[in-house]
Amino acid sequence: MQKPIAIWLFICCALVFAMVIVGGVTRLTGSGLSIVEWQPLIGAIPPLSQEDWEILLEKYRQIPQYQEVNKGMTLDEFKGIFWWEYFHRLLGRLIGLVYFIPFVYFITRKQVDRALGIKLLVIFILGGLQGLMGWYMVMSGLVNNIYVSQYRLTAHLGLAFVIFAAMFWVATGLLSSRERHQQDRTELQGLRRFSFLITTLIFIMVLSGGFVAGIHAGLAHNTFPLMSGYVLPPDLFVLEPWYRNFFENMTTVQFNHRLIAWTLAFLAPIFWLRARKYTLSSSERWACHLLLAMLAIQISLGIATLLLVVPLPLAAAHQGGAMLLFTAALWVNRKLS
C-alpha cells in the first residue's frame, strides 16, 4: 500500500511548487504586505462587503510600504495586490489540509510503519514552521521597513525547498526498486558524491537567489556576461563590516548568484560526461540528461530575466525553473542511490 502514499506526497509536492510560483509573483508585484494580520482560521474568509475592503485598506495605510511607496493607492489598486497575498496564504492552508487529512488516514489505517511515520511527522512539523516563518517574514516589513527582510525571505524560500525535497525523497523512495547493473553499485560511489555536490550547489544558488530577490539585486547590472563592463565590479566590498556585502550589497549579491551559476555550468557537463562512462540503466541516463538540460534552461531564463530587467512572467518562470532544476538533481541522486 505504499503507492497511494507516494502519490499523495507527489500531489503535495505539486502544491508546494505552485506555492513557490505564487509566492514569487506575490513578491514581484509587491503584494506580500497587503494583509497585515495573521489569522490562520478566519483569515481564510475573503472580504465580503465594501466595509470589509475599506477596513483592510485602512490597516494597510498604517504601514511604511503604503506611506513611502503606494501612498494614494485606490481601493481597486489595493485589491490587485491583496488577491495575490490572499491566494498565497489560502494555498498554504490548502497544502496543510491536503497533507494532514491523508496523513491521519494512513496512520489510523496502520498503512505506515514507525520509520515512515516519523519521516511524515517531521515533514508535517516543517510545514507548520513554514507557516510561522511566513508570518515572521511579513512582520519584518510592517514596522520601519517598506519591504520584508531579505534574511527572512531567504529562510522562507529555503524551507519551502527543504519541505519539497523531503516529500519528493520519501515518495521516490517508496516507489524505487534496486536495479541490476552489470557493475557493482559501489563503483557509483564517486558519481553519487558528485551528484550530491551539484544538488548542494543548486540549493545554495536558490538561497542566493532569495537574497537577489530580497534586495532587488536583479535591477542592477543588467548586462551579460560582464557586470556593467566589469568582471569584478569595483563596488563589491563598499559596505562595512565586509561580510554585510554578501547579503546587503546589490552588486555582491548578484555577483555571488552569477558565480554559483557559472560553477554549475562548468560542473554539470563534467558530471554528465563522467556518467557516460558508467553502465547505467536507461532511467538513470535520462535523469542525467534531464539535469543538464534543465540547468541550461534555467541559466537561459536567468540571463533573459536579467537583460530584460526582471519582467514578471520571466522572473516567475525563473523561480519555478529553480525548483524544477532542484527536482531534476534530486531525481539523479535517487536513481544513483
Side-chain angles (χ1 to χ4, degrees):
M1 293 297 293
Q2 292 186 324
K3 186 176 181 180
I5 297 175
I7 293 173
W8 158 59
L9 290 173
F10 282 133
I11 292 172
C12 291
C13 284
L15 289 173
V16 171
F17 175 77
M19 185 77 165
V20 169
I21 298 296
V22 174
V25 174
T26 300
R27 175 187 56 78
L28 289 163
T29 55
S31 306
L33 298 176
S34 58
I35 302 177
V36 300
E37 296 174 324
W38 191 42
Q39 300 171 313
L41 296 178
I42 64 174
I45 304 173
L48 300 176
S49 66
Q50 183 70 16
E51 182 182 3
D52 291 341
W53 280 111
E54 293 291 350
I55 291 173
L56 287 171
L57 178 55
E58 183 58 33
K59 291 178 179 178
Y60 179 64
R61 286 174 177 151
Q62 307 308 310
I63 69 171
Q65 187 182 78
Y66 173 84
Q67 297 164 9
E68 298 183 33
V69 179
N70 292 326
K71 195 172 184 64
M73 173 179 276
T74 66
L75 182 58
D76 285 341
E77 290 171 334
F78 173 72
K79 289 179 180 179
I81 63 172
F82 170 87
W83 285 119
W84 277 115
E85 176 63 7
Y86 172 78
F87 284 121
H88 184 56
R89 297 192 186 193
L90 188 65
L91 187 54
R93 294 182 175 96
L94 175 63
I95 293 172
L97 288 175
V98 171
Y99 191 92
F100 179 72
I101 294 175
F103 174 59
V104 172
Y105 172 81
F106 289 127
I107 291 291
T108 55
R109 299 281 293 184
K110 301 185 184 304
Q111 297 180 12
V112 175
D113 60 27
R114 180 180 176 81
L116 178 57
I118 292 174
K119 294 175 185 177
L120 297 177
L121 178 60
V122 170
I123 293 172
F124 179 71
I125 293 173
L126 289 175
L129 291 175
Q130 177 71 326
L132 292 173
M133 178 58 72
W135 175 242
Y136 183 60
M137 176 187 68
V138 170
M139 286 175 59
S140 67
L142 299 181
V143 181
N144 300 326
N145 297 311
I146 60 174
Y147 299 112
V148 299
S149 162
Q150 69 269 32
Y151 298 98
R152 299 184 191 184
L153 172 67
T154 301
H156 190 48
L157 177 64
L159 187 52
F161 272 72
V162 169
I163 293 170
F164 177 92
M167 293 191 298
F168 183 86
W169 193 257
V170 172
T172 52
L174 293 174
L175 296 179
S176 65
S177 59
R178 295 287 182 179
E179 299 178 8
R180 294 184 177 180
H181 298 270
Q182 296 179 9
Q183 61 190 102
D184 195 294
R185 298 294 291 185
T186 57
E187 294 186 19
L188 296 178
Q189 186 174 353
L191 195 63
R192 283 196 293 268
R193 285 198 295 263
F194 200 167
S195 69
F196 179 77
L197 171 64
I198 289 176
T199 305
T200 302
L201 282 174
I202 291 171
F203 182 68
I204 294 173
M205 185 169 66
V206 167
L207 297 181
S208 74
F211 282 103
V212 170
I215 63 172
H216 303 89
L219 300 178
H221 304 290
N222 299 103
T223 59
F224 186 84
L226 301 179
M227 296 180 66
S228 300
Y230 294 96
V231 175
L232 294 174
D235 54 340
L236 280 174
F237 292 98
V238 296
L239 300 181
E240 295 290 344
W242 62 270
Y243 55 80
R244 285 180 53 209
N245 290 280
F246 291 98
F247 313 107
E248 301 175 21
N249 182 335
M250 293 175 70
T251 297
T252 313
V253 167
Q254 188 189 125
F255 177 82
N256 291 338
H257 194 58
R258 290 189 185 212
L259 184 61
I260 299 170
W262 278 114
T263 303
L264 283 167
F266 175 75
L267 290 179
I270 294 176
F271 170 80
W272 183 80
L273 289 171
R274 183 173 296 181
R276 289 175 61 87
K277 298 179 180 179
Y278 291 85
T279 303
L280 302 177
S281 68
S282 60
S283 62
E284 288 168 344
R285 291 204 177 280
W286 274 110
C288 295
H289 295 335
L290 180 63
L291 175 61
L292 186 63
M294 194 61 235
L295 179 63
I297 293 171
Q298 178 65 353
I299 290 177
S300 299
L301 284 171
I303 294 170
T305 302
L306 179 72
L307 294 179
L308 296 175
V309 196
V310 197
L312 178 60
L314 269 178
H318 186 51
Q319 184 152 325
M323 183 156 276
L324 292 177
L325 174 60
F326 188 57
T327 304
L330 290 173
W331 189 36
V332 169
N333 280 269
R334 170 56 74 191
K335 299 304 293 185
L336 296 179
S337 64

